[in-house]
């Protein structure tokens, strides 16, 4: 009924799909036929679930339904770790009392909360799935293609997810690194639900001038400083892709800070970080004519971000 979902999410450009499929089938795998999935997301008018960092949906597939709630977790460099609770249901109707009582904040009136729920947005997409055996781990890879809808607005869904079913997080990241030579992939921080919320907001604008990189990273433990730098990297990247003001300049500045970070902690930097093309992507980020879709979906960009995510994971697991 419940488990800790650990997955790596990558946004995909259409031209990369053929090479992704070729890479997947180069490993021992089981392939599952294509399915159409519909998801309805629920929320209160005042976004109470969002404030609790929860997401509630009903998924339909081939006449069967599943109610899912995801609770507070953490996301770092496209790596998502969140507890989730899944319950099979006979029809697409919410029943919050079916979830364990302990997932709710203290003194929550669950019946009242349910009475306040309304449909917020929905998704329709096709899913192709493989179960891959990699080293000692079993990893589910899904390719999702479709759209998110909120009223008259919509956003495309084009992504792959690598979810750890059995094995280690290190091997999940190692499998992800097998894809770094494919142009057109990018580590994605936002879930489908988060992207759906952005559709219903009156404005997607974020003033990135207010989100300055941390200036005291050198006084922090190395894993904490690295964590903060990764959070800002993801934020500036996504803001630049959304054409938000100042994001490109902030991102270039941050990449310079990351280079300084590596010099400061030179004695602790693993070899796979030392050999990254970080200088190359930093220079490219400063070019006046560079487009975010070109740089942020490049193989070198993915190689760098994924390696830093792997380094951070190794430090936090140590």
């Amino acid at each position: 009924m419940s488990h800790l979902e650990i997955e790596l999410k990558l946004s995909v450009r259409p031209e990369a799909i053929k090479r992704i499929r070729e890479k997947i089938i180069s490993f021992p795998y089981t392939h599952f036929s294509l399915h159409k999935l519909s998801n309805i997301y629920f929320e209160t008018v005042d976004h109470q679930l969002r404030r609790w960092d929860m997401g509630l949906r009903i998924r339909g597939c081939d006449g069967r339904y599943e109610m899912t709630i995801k609770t507070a977790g953490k996301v770092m460099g496209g790596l998502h770790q969140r507890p989730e609770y899944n319950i099979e249901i006979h029809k697409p109707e919410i029943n919050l009392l079916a979830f364990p009582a302990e997932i709710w904040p203290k003194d929550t009136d669950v019946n009242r909360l349910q009475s306040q729920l309304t449909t917020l947005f929905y998704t329709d997409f096709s899913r192709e799935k493989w179960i891959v055996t990699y080293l000692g781990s079993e990893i589910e890879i899904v390719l999702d293609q479709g759209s998110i809808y909120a009223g008259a607005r919509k956003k495309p869904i084009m992504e792959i997810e690598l979810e750890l079913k059995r094995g280690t997080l290190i091997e999940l990241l190692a499998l992800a690194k097998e894809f770094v030579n494919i142009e057109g992939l990018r580590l994605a921080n936002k879930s489908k639900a988060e992207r759906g919320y952005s559709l219903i907001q009156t404005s997607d604008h974020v003033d990135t001038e207010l989100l300055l990189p941390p200036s005291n990273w050198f006084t922090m433990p190395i894993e904490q400083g690295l964590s903060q730098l990764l959070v800002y990297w993801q934020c500036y990247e996504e803001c630049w892709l959304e054409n938000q003001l100042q994001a490109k300049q902030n991102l270039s500045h941050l990449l310079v800070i990351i280079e300084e970070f590596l010099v400061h902690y030179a004695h602790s930097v693993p070899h796979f970080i030392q050999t990254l093309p970080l200088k190359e992507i930093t220079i490219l980020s400063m070019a006046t004519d560079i487009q975010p879709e070109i740089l942020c979906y490049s193989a070198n960009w993915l190689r760098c971000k994924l390696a830093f995510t792997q380094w951070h994971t190794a430090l936090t697991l140590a």
Side-chain angles (χ1 to χ4, degrees), residues 67-247:
M67 181 175 62
T68 296
I69 192 160
K70 297 188 179 185
T71 59
K74 60 181 180 179
V75 181
M76 183 60 60
L79 182 65
H80 299 239
Q81 300 182 65
R82 297 189 71 179
E84 70 170 35
Y85 299 82
N86 303 297
I87 297 175
E88 290 191 12
I89 53 179
H90 298 296
K91 51 186 177 180
E93 294 180 358
I94 290 294
N95 176 18
L96 296 185
L97 292 175
F99 292 118
E102 62 268 19
I103 72 171
W104 305 109
K106 186 180 179 181
D107 298 327
T108 297
D109 185 335
V110 177
N111 284 316
R112 183 171 183 271
L113 176 65
Q114 179 165 316
S115 70
Q116 296 173 332
L117 291 173
T118 185
T119 300
L120 197 61
F121 52 86
Y122 68 95
T123 65
D124 278 320
F125 59 91
S126 62
R127 167 165 289 181
E128 191 171 4
K129 184 171 77 172
W130 300 261
I131 300 292
V132 169
T133 301
Y134 185 78
L135 301 176
S137 294
E138 188 176 88
I139 296 165
E140 178 184 278
I141 304 178
V142 299
L143 169 63
D144 291 342
Q145 301 180 72
S147 296
I148 306 170
Y149 301 90
R153 305 180 72 188
K154 74 174 184 176
K155 283 186 176 182
I157 295 171
M158 183 77 69
E159 62 192 29
I160 62 170
E161 297 174 355
L162 287 70
E163 182 176 349
L164 184 65
K165 292 298 185 181
R166 178 180 56 81
T168 68
L169 178 52
I170 294 299
E171 290 180 350
L172 172 68
L173 291 168
L175 175 59
K177 290 179 73 172
E178 298 279 357
F179 293 84
V180 297
N181 291 323
I182 301 176
E183 298 284 343
L185 292 173
R186 182 183 72 85
L187 286 174
N189 205 44
K190 293 182 178 179
S191 66
K192 295 180 183 71
E194 288 174 303
R195 297 178 66 215
Y197 274 102
S198 71
L199 273 179
I200 63 173
Q201 292 172 350
T202 55
S203 172
D204 291 336
H205 177 72
V206 175
D207 188 355
T208 56
E209 292 181 324
L210 301 178
L211 300 173
L212 299 176
S215 59
N216 62 332
W217 53 262
F218 53 86
T219 66
M220 304 174 183
I222 185 171
E223 63 272 16
Q224 185 179 348
L226 184 57
S227 173
Q228 289 210 17
L229 293 173
L230 277 168
V231 168
Y232 279 88
W233 189 344
Q234 192 74 32
C235 174
Y236 294 152
E237 174 186 322
E238 293 186 349
C239 288
W240 187 27
L241 284 162
E242 294 173 1
N243 299 312
Q244 294 181 8
L245 299 176
Q246 196 65 30

Side-chain angles (χ1 to χ4, degrees), residues 3 26 66 136-137 162 197 268-269:
H3 73 281
S26 69
E66 183 179 66
S137 294
L162 287 70
Y197 274 102
S268 302
V269 178

